[in-house]
Amino acid sequence: MNIRERLEQEEKELLSPYAAFSAESKGRMKPEPQCDIRPVFQRDRDRILHCKSFRRLKDKTQVFLTPEGDHYRTRLTHTLEVSQNARTIAKALRLNEDLVEAIALGHDLGHTPFGHAGERALDKICPLGFKHNEQSLRTVDVLEKDGIGLNLTMETRDGILNHQTSSMPFTLEGKIVRLSDKIAYLHHDMDDAVRAGILKESDLPESVRKVLGVTATQRLDHFIHDIIIYSQNKNEIAMSPETAEQMQKLRQFMYEYVYVNPEAKSEEGKAENLICTLYEYYLERIELLPPDLLKIYEKGEKPERVVCDHIAAMTDRFAIAKYEEIYIPKCWHG
């Protein structure tokens, strides 16, 4: 018995019967030899952690566009917070921590520069549409490793694709990440809004403060405890009805006062225009795309999709620099 087989056996002995077991994975899109040390979901986690699209998350917007302060969240810190929340819940419920971590680290790999403003812009201008969860799956399946992809397991791919509210993963681990994503952004977006002076803790609805807590730390603690307690010994991941109701009130409050707040979102119109301008520029000049994307295009992919691939992969800073390089005149040096 090698190390991987021993770890798989330990999963059988220690994890909940509702867990996703590494040895029972539905497999990968392309069969490949097993590692003698790492079970399949651990390999997925490692592949995501080492890929280029994961590193780019550090310079992508979460809520506040290219903030000047050092302590505002980025798409990378959001991803890490989702991962930590998910691992805490999975460990308490004896579910597969490697799988939740792989899904959490990969769930936003396809996110655009400038956060949801960039996503809206591409979805509006591209006739094929654009959704960041679908792009995240495309990133790990097609775009990474110069067009080879990461060849992840079906469980990780499913969790990445279905992490949004409108869909549901088939594993409990994927369902944990789906809830952890919401908990993370409500927690840290409120924290960042208070830091920015847009909100005060006392602005929250009284029922939210009473049930969930009066500080960001209390609310995060409440959410995680509630999910663990309510989901114990069940083949389901859920919150108690009371907590779910107050989370929805908190989401509505955040959408009204932060996510569409003119002060917080004053630059988003510019960001959307920038994204649309770059899209049109590259659609007319496909030959300027990176070599790996040109290979995908030459294999028959639609030009609109590979242009979206290029723009979605950009960081905020790279998109701004590319726009300036193309459209802003430079001083002449004689």
Side-chain angles (χ1 to χ4, degrees):
M1 179 181 292
N2 63 29
I3 294 173
R4 170 185 54 79
E5 291 169 335
R6 175 174 58 78
L7 292 173
E8 291 172 344
Q9 182 61 38
E10 288 176 1
E11 285 184 3
K12 285 288 190 180
E13 295 169 357
L14 299 174
L15 296 186
S16 162
Y18 304 122
F21 296 103
S22 301
E24 298 176 3
S25 169
K26 295 180 182 293
R28 304 183 186 278
M29 296 177 69
K30 294 173 285 188
E32 61 180 66
Q34 289 268 33
C35 176
D36 63 337
I37 296 175
R38 297 169 297 161
V40 290
F41 302 139
Q42 186 180 344
R43 292 184 81 187
D44 283 357
R45 187 273 315 275
D46 293 351
R47 290 176 185 187
I48 291 169
L49 189 64
H50 290 289
C51 75
K52 291 187 292 186
S53 52
F54 182 79
R55 296 194 291 275
R56 289 194 296 264
L57 294 176
K58 67 184 175 66
D59 283 324
K60 292 194 177 190
T61 290
Q62 174 58 28
V63 169
F64 296 93
L65 296 183
T66 56
E68 293 183 357
D70 292 334
H71 299 131
Y72 293 97
R73 269 69 168 200
T74 65
R75 190 63 56 176
L76 178 60
T77 56
H78 161 74
T79 294
L80 295 176
E81 291 184 36
V82 174
S83 176
Q84 185 56 54
N85 294 344
R87 286 193 61 186
T88 298
I89 296 168
K91 187 167 189 174
L93 295 176
R94 295 187 297 121
L95 298 175
N96 198 308
E97 288 184 66
D98 287 336
L99 179 55
V100 295
E101 189 171 20
I103 296 170
L105 294 181
H107 82 283
D108 269 355
L109 292 180
H111 229 301
T112 58
F114 312 119
H116 290 288
E119 181 177 17
R120 284 194 304 270
L122 285 182
D123 190 46
K124 177 175 63 177
I125 197 169
C126 177
L128 303 176
F130 183 91
K131 297 290 183 289
H132 82 269
N133 59 315
E134 296 174 359
Q135 187 68 18
S136 293
L137 184 62
R138 179 170 168 81
T139 298
V140 298
D141 280 354
V142 178
L143 303 179
E144 269 295 337
K145 297 184 70 175
D146 298 323
I148 297 175
L150 301 181
N151 197 30
L152 304 180
T153 62
M154 299 303 176
E155 291 82 357
T156 300
R157 296 176 62 253
D158 168 76
I160 289 172
L161 179 63
N162 295 306
H163 74 269
Q164 292 190 293
T165 304
S166 58
S167 52
M168 188 66 71
F170 66 73
T171 64
L172 295 189
E173 288 81 0
K175 293 175 182 179
I176 287 175
V177 174
R178 180 175 174 271
L179 275 181
S180 296
D181 183 34
K182 297 170 180 59
I183 292 170
Y185 72 66
L186 289 173
H187 165 73
H188 59 54
D189 293 352
M190 178 66 187
D191 188 46
D192 282 353
V194 171
R195 178 174 293 105
I198 294 171
L199 291 175
K200 301 187 297 295
E201 286 284 355
S202 57
D203 293 330
L204 283 174
E206 182 58 32
S207 63
V208 171
R209 290 165 55 80
K210 181 178 179 181
V211 174
L212 302 182
V214 298
T215 67
T217 300
Q218 288 177 2
R219 288 189 293 274
L220 180 61
D221 186 68
H222 178 93
F223 279 133
I224 291 175
H225 274 80
D226 186 86
I227 292 171
I228 290 169
I229 292 168
Y230 201 72
S231 303
Q232 278 185 326
N233 303 315
K234 296 177 184 176
N235 190 17
E236 188 52 84
I237 302 297
M239 296 178 178
S240 66
E242 182 182 36
T243 294
E245 178 184 1
Q246 295 307 316
M247 185 179 81
Q248 187 58 32
K249 287 186 178 181
L250 177 57
R251 286 188 74 204
Q252 291 170 350
F253 174 85
M254 292 296 290
Y255 271 96
E256 181 175 356
Y257 291 99
V258 177
Y259 301 143
V260 296
N261 181 293
E263 184 177 354
K265 300 298 184 180
S266 59
E267 299 297 300
E268 282 199 350
K270 298 177 186 177
E272 291 186 31
N273 289 336
L274 184 153
I275 292 293
C276 290
T277 301
L278 289 177
Y279 174 89
E280 291 172 341
Y281 177 85
Y282 283 107
L283 193 60
E284 295 173 359
R285 301 167 180 83
I286 291 290
E287 69 278 3
L288 298 181
L289 293 178
D292 56 323
L293 292 181
L294 283 176
K295 289 180 184 177
I296 294 172
Y297 170 67
E298 289 164 0
K299 289 179 181 178
E301 185 60 88
K302 293 179 179 176
E304 296 88 350
R305 182 56 63 207
V306 290
V307 169
C308 282
D309 290 338
H310 183 45
I311 294 174
M314 294 179 178
T315 62
D316 294 14
R317 288 190 298 177
F318 184 86
I320 292 170
K322 187 57 65 174
Y323 181 89
E324 290 178 345
E325 175 188 317
I326 296 168
Y327 291 105
I328 305 301
K330 300 175 179 61
C331 295
W332 181 71
H333 298 286

